[in-house]
């Protein structure tokens, strides 16, 4: 199993960036892909998740209306479009995968990093004033 994030970098406040998470080694359409971020000195925070079984999504309140998650099953890739970026969005962004069929109360648990089995290496997003 492999998850590879890309697309991070330095962006000005108010700008946009798109992160990609390329997945391999598991049944992509049966899995959920989550995005988490970890700012310096902070705990890992769930920001978004897509269940590839039905396309349902979750967004944290902090990113709702600014970030959009999409999934391309032909490329086994999930994209996180991040718009109207703020300085507080600066963090390392990780994608993670899990089989939601194995998780009780999935819609409640999907924001917990402990429910995800596979993780990418992370990509840095830095938002400057």
């Amino acid at each position: 199993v492999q998850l590879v994030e890309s697309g991070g970098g330095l962006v000005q406040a108010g700008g946009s960036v798109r992160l990609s998470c390329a997945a391999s080694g598991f049944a992509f359409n049966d899995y959920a892909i989550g995005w988490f971020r970890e700012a310096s000195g902070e705990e890992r925070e769930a920001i978004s998740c897509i269940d590839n079984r039905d396309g349902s999504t979750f967004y944290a309140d902090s990113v709702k209306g600014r970030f959009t998650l999409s999934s391309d099953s032909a490329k086994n890739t999930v994209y996180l479009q991040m718009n109207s970026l703020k300085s507080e969005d600066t963090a390392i962004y990780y994608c993670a995968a899990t089989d939601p069929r194995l998780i009780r109360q999935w819609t409640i648990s999907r924001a917990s990093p402990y429910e995800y089995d596979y993780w990418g290496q992370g990509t840095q997003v830095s938002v400057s004033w």
Side-chain angles (χ1 to χ4, degrees), residues 15 17 19 35 37 47-48 59-60 62-69 80-86 89 93 125:
V17 69
L19 304 183
W35 281 95
R37 66 185 180 188
I47 56 173
S48 189
Y59 295 96
S62 58
V63 306
K64 201 172 292 183
R66 299 189 298 123
F67 291 10
T68 303
L69 200 55
L80 182 65
Q81 179 67 43
M82 305 162 60
N83 298 330
S84 302
L85 284 163
K86 307 174 182 179
D89 294 318
Y93 284 73
V125 174

Side-chain angles (χ1 to χ4, degrees), residues 29-80:
N29 288 339
D30 289 334
Y31 272 59
I33 305 293
W35 281 95
F36 296 79
R37 66 185 180 188
E38 192 170 310
S40 180
E42 302 289 332
E43 292 186 354
R44 193 163 294 190
E45 172 193 17
I47 56 173
S48 189
C49 165
I50 186 165
D51 187 340
N52 283 327
R53 297 175 300 168
D54 60 8
S56 58
T57 55
F58 155 82
Y59 295 96
D61 289 343
S62 58
V63 306
K64 201 172 292 183
R66 299 189 298 123
F67 291 10
T68 303
L69 200 55
S70 60
S71 183
D72 185 340
S73 60
K75 297 182 178 180
N76 280 11
T77 299
V78 169
Y79 302 98
L80 182 65

Side-chain angles (χ1 to χ4, degrees), residues 74-119:
K75 297 182 178 180
N76 280 11
T77 299
V78 169
Y79 302 98
L80 182 65
Q81 179 67 43
M82 305 162 60
N83 298 330
S84 302
L85 284 163
K86 307 174 182 179
S87 59
E88 52 262 45
D89 294 318
T90 295
I92 300 174
Y93 284 73
Y94 299 89
C95 67
T98 191
D99 185 346
R101 297 170 296 181
L102 304 179
I103 299 172
R104 295 182 63 186
Q105 297 184 303
W106 162 244
T107 54
I108 297 174
S109 304
R110 58 189 172 181
S112 170
Y114 301 104
E115 301 293 356
Y116 290 78
D117 299 311
Y118 309 111
W119 290 82

Side-chain angles (χ1 to χ4, degrees), residues 4-28:
V4 179
E5 302 99 335
S6 61
L10 179 63
V11 61
Q12 287 188 329
S16 299
V17 69
R18 189 178 78 160
L19 304 183
S20 300
C21 175
S24 61
F26 60 90
F28 185 80

